[in-house]
Amino acid sequence: SGTGMRSYPLKTFLEKLTCPALPLKERAAKKWRFALQAVFFALTIAIGVEFHYFVSSIQGEVTLSRRPPGVDGFLPISSLMSLRFLALFGEVHRAHTAGLFILLAIIAMSFLIGKSFCGWLCPFGFVSELLYKARKAVSPSFKVAAWLDHALSTLKYLILAFFAYIIFFAMDAAALRSFLDGDYNKIADIKMYYFFARITPLAAFITASLFLLSFFVPYFWCRYLCPYGALLGLFSLAGPLKIKRSAGACVNCGLCAAVCPQAIEVNKTALVLSDECTSCALCLDICPAPGALELRSWKAGPFRIRTRFLPLLVALVFCLITGFAMLSGNWRNDISADEYRRLMAGYETLEHPR
């Protein structure tokens, strides 16, 4: 244009957001992934809206609104405690039952299909990816120096180690049961809601900073700070499926490494053994050499997964485990309307147990 500014037509911009750097003929699987991410993100928003009405109804003189059990998915620490409780006592704790099965589903996905929850379903990962793609559609992202990237990548493991120590070593069985049975844990979901509904200036600044950093540095939260991602990365390393590269079939085009959002040098390894790999399959779809890259068992054998089946497999594993929880009566908690109102009456004085 005569103004000297580049123009970005809406269609082209949306194409870059959904499937950046991929030829048109290779975008089918990636569009399915984007669709799955978008559906799960929309479901998360719907759960948030429904939970807002639930909290509002507790404070009013009306029948308690329906509480969406999916909100337990935002309580990973309580869910991890419930997992240890299940291992110790052989029973499902009744405070945040859905959270336990969501955690089990995510762990199973990560073990069976790599860190696929992060790459296919996680709403925070989806937002991070949109920010990354939006930045990439406008101009190149900021590249973190290799030494700093490695140093920062350890932070999420330090955070995970802290929580793991508290839950699995510092707390004995009696302390674990006491915490899970306590009033604070019963309304931890409401505490989380008010953290955002009544956000302090400091918390708002930190949240905005994370969004800004994720815009300039790809997947800042996911790559450096998310303890959930650290946990799932460990399970993915132990899993049976890995992306394998056949040096004989590879044409050394470098497209696989160029398109990897996690900056993994796929073109320089025979086996992608990285805790950062989210099984997004971008490298598999863009590879022009048949048989050069495949998602298969890391041991010798014929078993492999075709890219087009990944969305089905991801959704199937998640739905099977959460569906079992629903059918077995372990999806909704046992906290009554009267109990919620009692807990909310003393909400302001309710503090985290020491």
Side-chain angles (χ1 to χ4, degrees):
S1 66
T3 61
M5 297 178 62
R6 295 179 63 187
S7 62
Y8 293 91
L10 179 60
K11 183 178 179 181
T12 303
F13 184 74
L14 291 177
E15 283 286 345
K16 288 183 177 182
L17 279 183
T18 54
C19 305
L22 288 177
L24 283 173
K25 63 180 181 180
E26 303 290 354
R27 294 180 177 180
K30 298 311 110 214
K31 286 184 177 179
W32 274 111
R33 175 170 167 267
F34 183 85
L36 194 57
Q37 288 176 306
V39 167
F40 204 80
F41 181 76
L43 177 63
T44 302
I45 296 298
I47 288 172
V49 172
E50 191 173 6
F51 190 67
H52 165 75
Y53 287 115
F54 168 76
V55 175
S56 299
S57 68
I58 297 176
Q59 301 170 324
E61 299 284 333
V62 295
T63 303
L64 208 63
S65 178
R66 177 182 177 275
R67 177 187 180 274
V71 76
D72 289 348
F74 292 92
L75 302 172
I77 305 305
S78 179
S79 299
L80 201 57
M81 288 182 171
S82 294
L83 182 59
R84 189 188 175 207
F85 184 89
L86 176 65
L88 286 174
F89 301 105
E91 60 182 277
V92 176
H93 195 273
R94 306 310 303 177
H96 298 291
T97 51
L100 170 63
F101 287 91
I102 292 172
L103 176 63
L104 289 173
I106 292 171
I107 288 175
M109 288 169 58
S110 299
F111 177 74
L112 294 173
I113 327 164
K115 203 173 168 182
S116 51
F117 174 77
C118 299
W120 291 80
L121 295 182
C122 179
F124 296 110
F126 180 55
V127 171
S128 294
E129 186 163 337
L130 289 179
L131 289 171
Y132 159 66
K133 291 173 179 176
R135 173 67 177 175
K136 196 173 180 180
V138 176
S139 63
S141 300
F142 176 76
K143 185 174 178 61
V144 179
W147 68 268
L148 182 59
D149 177 67
H150 292 146
L152 291 174
S153 295
T154 63
L155 290 176
K156 61 180 180 289
Y157 287 101
L158 293 175
I159 298 171
L160 174 64
F162 170 77
F163 287 120
Y165 171 76
I166 296 296
I167 295 170
F168 292 98
F169 298 99
M171 298 179 74
D172 59 19
L176 179 70
R177 181 185 285 275
S178 176
F179 180 88
L180 290 176
D181 288 344
D183 289 349
Y184 186 93
N185 181 58
K186 288 179 181 178
I187 58 169
D189 49 352
I190 299 176
K191 285 277 188 182
M192 175 193 63
Y193 166 82
Y194 278 127
F195 174 83
F196 292 101
R198 302 172 180 175
I199 194 166
T200 63
L202 177 60
F205 172 77
I206 293 173
T207 303
S209 297
L210 288 173
F211 273 96
L212 188 63
L213 285 167
S214 296
F215 181 76
F216 287 101
V217 181
Y219 302 93
F220 183 87
W221 165 260
C222 307
R223 192 171 182 87
Y224 302 131
L225 297 176
C226 181
Y228 221 161
L231 176 66
L232 302 184
L234 295 177
F235 277 99
S236 73
L237 288 176
L241 293 177
K242 299 288 182 291
I243 294 174
K244 297 186 71 174
R245 172 179 163 268
S246 172
C250 180
V251 296
N252 297 309
C253 63
L255 290 174
C256 52
V259 80
C260 178
Q262 303 302 328
I264 300 170
E265 295 183 323
V266 184
N267 60 326
K268 296 182 180 179
T269 182
L271 184 71
V272 177
L273 195 62
S274 171
D275 61 330
E276 299 296 346
C277 179
T278 61
S279 298
C280 68
L282 281 170
C283 60
L284 296 172
D285 267 11
I286 201 172
C287 180
L293 285 181
E294 293 179 326
L295 180 62
R296 60 166 61 242
S297 170
W298 64 271
K299 294 183 178 180
F303 182 74
R304 68 189 178 99
I305 301 291
R306 292 188 180 276
T307 308
R308 61 178 177 268
F309 294 132
L310 269 176
L312 179 62
L313 190 57
V314 166
L316 181 64
V317 173
F318 187 82
C319 291
L320 278 177
I321 296 177
T322 54
F324 170 78
M326 296 175 191
L327 294 175
S328 61
N330 288 304
W331 190 242
R332 298 185 178 280
N333 65 32
D334 291 345
I335 303 175
S336 67
D338 289 340
E339 180 75 349
Y340 270 119
R341 289 198 165 101
R342 179 190 70 79
L343 292 169
M344 283 300 294
Y347 172 84
E348 298 295 341
T349 58
L350 194 59
E351 297 183 354
H352 192 289
R354 298 187 183 279

